[in-house]
Amino acid sequence: MARKPTNYWDYLRLEELQGLQGGLERDDTALTNDEVLFIVVHQVDELWFKLAIRELVSVRDLFRKVPVPEQSLASAVRGVRRLELLFHQIGGQFALMETMTTRDYLGFRDKLSPASGFQSAQLREVEILFGLGSEERIPLGGEKSYIDALKHADGRESHASKAVAARLEDRPSVLEVVDDWIYRTPIQGSRPEDEGDDEVVGRFVEAFITAHASEVKAFLDNARANANNDEEYALLERRYQAQLASSASFLRAEDVEVSDGDSAPRLRTRRVRAALTFIESYRELPLLAWPREVLDSLVALEQAFLIFRQRHARMVERMIGRRTGTGGSAGVDYLDSTALKYRVFRELWAVRSLLLRQDALPALENAATYGFVAGD
Ligand code: HEM
């Protein structure tokens, strides 16, 4: 039987879509242009969040496989780049919102209370999928937890609270699967299951710290020769030595406690950090080229997400100054602290502080493990 011709408006369900901007009045002709803009921008952003959740689930599922098939890394990078662009897109819409004046926003703001973007279940799902832990969350203010804020005012579960509760059950997060995948990276040709792997990783870490120390020494020798006075040099020396000490401690994972003589958690973290450093340092090796792109795309994604948070905060400050939010938070102060404190891929950012130029790197061992053929 012949298929009924498709209409543009049927396929996109435009009649239903265009009937959804009426706000509490259920009638957009009763609203100002500013309020319709406010509704449309939020709705469009929620649609982008919907797409972001799908992409994050796909990326998570790619990394969930053990081992991760080499050929999926290019798809993972494509998915993460799409996510990055999505968050830039969402952040870009705030400029449109800024065409509304404070006075005009105040014209309809009261009827929103106590609703707030704080009740966006999809943004919470995005954060949970990334790997932001509930214990890391900044309180909104008042007694409510972020989960309670998603319930109906009388405490009943809502569509939003149920969606977030289901997502909390939906483990693992992107952070967890990526961490496991990085952990399995061969370091100087050695894999975690190989005998003597801890020693190989330990040697690489110490060689890297020694190379870093030589770089700092060369820099400080030069700085001493060029310093205007002793005080200026002493300050610089303190800074560089402190940075070196903190890099060494980070690579040795000294921040991870060894309780009851169990060093396994520390060795695991040390291996992850060494692997990140290794991938970034020897990225020309064929087996490491795509992993390095994956790591870079994740940093770019988190950067886009942070810019989205900051851009929202600046738009809010311009719109309502420092007053309390409709959701009851400290408003801009709350939003700024989320932009400052919510970091998921912390280790990926942290290794940036200790990477070295190519010719200062420790000698590479077992290059053949990485598909490297001499003369390439
Ligand atoms: C006039 C425009 C806007 C103003 C004045 C505004 C204001 C605020 C304020 C003050 C908060 C803090 C929570 C509270 O106390 O309410 C907040 C949170 C939030 N807003 Fe907006 N907002 C605006 C537009 C938007 C748009 C267009 C989006 C689209 C995505 C959005 C998404 C969010 C989200 C997701 C949160 C929760 C952030 C978090 O908890 O990390 N907002 N907003």
Side-chain angles (χ1 to χ4, degrees):
M1 205 172 65
R3 188 171 60 81
K4 202 173 128 239
T6 308
N7 290 318
Y8 177 79
W9 52 90
D10 281 341
Y11 181 67
L12 296 175
R13 317 226 345 222
L14 290 183
E15 217 178 317
E16 284 154 274
L17 186 65
Q18 288 168 345
L20 296 174
Q21 289 72 44
L24 293 177
E25 289 76 1
R26 297 285 185 270
D27 173 12
D28 60 57
T29 61
L31 307 182
T32 61
N33 286 358
D34 287 310
E35 187 167 358
V36 175
L37 170 79
F38 184 83
I39 293 170
V40 169
V41 173
H42 276 89
Q43 287 182 340
V44 170
D45 287 346
E46 287 291 338
L47 289 175
W48 290 135
F49 289 155
K50 177 174 178 170
L51 207 53
I53 290 169
R54 293 181 67 112
E55 292 293 340
L56 278 167
V57 168
S58 300
V59 169
R60 187 266 312 268
D61 290 347
L62 280 179
F63 281 98
R64 203 173 199 170
K65 300 197 177 99
V66 182
V68 177
E70 277 300 299
Q71 65 275 19
S72 356
L73 294 183
S75 311
V77 168
R78 230 179 8 259
V80 177
R81 292 260 185 252
R82 181 179 286 171
L83 279 156
E84 178 205 343
L85 288 178
L86 272 176
F87 284 104
H88 280 306
Q89 183 79 24
I90 300 169
Q93 305 217 50
F94 293 133
L96 204 51
M97 210 53 132
E98 286 165 344
T99 60
M100 172 166 72
T101 66
T102 305
R103 202 185 69 187
D104 293 336
Y105 175 51
L106 293 176
F108 63 89
R109 182 177 188 249
D110 280 354
K111 66 180 170 182
L112 306 178
S113 185
S116 158
F118 196 78
Q119 294 177 317
S120 168
Q122 293 201 107
L123 187 83
R124 298 292 171 245
E125 286 191 67
V126 165
E127 294 167 340
I128 293 164
L129 272 166
F130 267 140
L132 184 75
S134 296
E135 68 295 343
E136 294 173 78
R137 290 194 181 273
I138 297 161
L140 177 67
E143 304 314 313
K144 276 188 174 177
S145 76
Y146 80 98
I147 296 279
D148 288 338
L150 295 165
K151 293 181 181 161
H152 286 290
D154 59 9
R156 272 179 306 120
E157 294 288 345
S158 65
H159 175 262
S161 65
K162 285 184 197 155
V164 170
R167 191 59 71 189
L168 282 168
E169 296 292 311
D170 174 31
R171 310 304 306 202
S173 64
V174 173
L175 175 68
E176 286 162 333
V177 287
V178 167
D179 188 79
D180 284 348
W181 169 71
I182 295 166
Y183 174 74
R184 298 192 299 269
T185 308
I187 296 174
Q188 298 287 40
S190 173
R191 297 173 195 276
E193 63 277 16
D194 292 348
E195 206 172 308
D197 179 66
D198 284 344
E199 284 74 34
V200 175
V201 174
R203 268 203 312 279
F204 171 70
V205 162
E206 294 310 316
F208 203 90
I209 294 169
T210 306
H212 195 180
S214 319
E215 285 293 279
V216 168
K217 183 174 177 316
F219 175 84
L220 286 175
D221 286 349
N222 189 43
R224 191 202 299 270
N226 293 318
N228 291 320
N229 54 55
D230 288 352
E231 218 171 285
E232 188 183 287
Y233 173 73
L235 177 72
L236 209 57
E237 189 190 23
R238 271 202 305 282
R239 278 217 180 113
Y240 272 79
Q241 294 299 0
Q243 202 176 313
L244 179 61
S246 102
S247 298
S249 169
F250 171 82
L251 276 176
R252 293 178 184 135
E254 287 168 352
D255 52 314
V256 180
E257 248 179 78
V258 176
S259 50
D260 298 330
D262 179 11
S263 57
R266 177 177 288 182
L267 291 177
R268 190 200 148 84
T269 302
R270 187 182 71 167
R271 197 176 206 293
V272 168
R273 292 175 183 174
L276 288 171
T277 311
F278 194 83
I279 294 169
E280 287 285 353
S281 300
Y282 306 100
R283 60 164 200 252
E284 287 77 14
L285 296 174
L287 201 72
L288 300 185
W290 274 109
R292 198 264 158 195
E293 287 307 301
V294 170
L295 301 182
D296 200 48
S297 67
L298 287 169
V299 170
L301 167 58
E302 184 149 51
Q303 185 188 37
F305 199 56
L306 294 175
I307 291 171
F308 150 72
R309 287 196 195 278
Q310 306 228 12
R311 186 65 187 86
H312 174 253
R314 297 288 71 75
M315 181 268 297
V316 171
E317 185 175 3
R318 183 167 165 190
M319 194 69 72
I320 60 168
R322 301 215 151 245
R323 68 185 88 195
T324 304
T326 49
S329 80
V332 172
D333 286 343
Y334 163 75
L335 295 170
D336 274 337
S337 35
T338 65
L340 198 66
K341 295 188 185 136
Y342 286 176
R343 278 289 170 110
V344 172
F345 300 107
R346 288 180 185 275
E347 315 269 294
L348 267 64
W349 289 93
V351 291
R352 315 255 142 183
S353 311
L354 50 88
L355 295 179
L356 298 173
R357 68 199 158 84
Q358 195 173 13
D359 49 6
L361 292 172
L364 173 72
E365 297 166 20
N366 300 312
T369 313
Y370 304 91
F372 184 76
V373 182
D376 265 11

